[in-house]
Amino acid sequence: MEEVSASGKKAIVFSQWVGSIEKMRGAMQRFGAAEYHGRIPHKQREGVIERFKNDPDCSVILMSYGAG
């Protein structure tokens, strides 16, 4: 993630389980991690995607297979 962030690129990290995403949350905070999974209300999901796409400080999105 350090290389991705330093290069200005972005990464999507998929997980089958939301619990795994929650465990990664702390380690990924310094990369401005966004989260997209079944516990994110539907009304907020589009905003999460827009933030990931447009916010230069958001280098990673943690996404569940089910919601993604």
Side-chain angles (χ1 to χ4, degrees):
M1 277 310 308
E2 289 177 12
E3 289 179 28
V4 170
S5 181
S7 72
K9 296 183 180 179
K10 296 182 181 257
I12 302 171
V13 177
F14 285 100
S15 175
Q16 187 170 352
W17 298 281
V18 176
S20 296
I21 290 172
E22 291 172 343
K23 290 179 181 179
M24 288 186 274
R25 181 183 293 144
M28 296 294 168
Q29 278 185 325
R30 65 186 176 138
F31 304 109
E35 293 184 30
Y36 190 96
H37 49 72
R39 295 182 187 162
I40 303 296
H42 286 279
K43 293 178 181 180
Q44 295 177 7
R45 291 183 185 187
E46 187 174 326
V48 171
I49 297 299
E50 287 302 313
R51 176 176 168 244
F52 175 65
K53 289 166 56 175
N54 299 313
D55 183 349
D57 294 325
C58 181
S59 298
V60 63
I61 188 168
L62 307 174
M63 185 175 287
S64 72
Y65 287 118

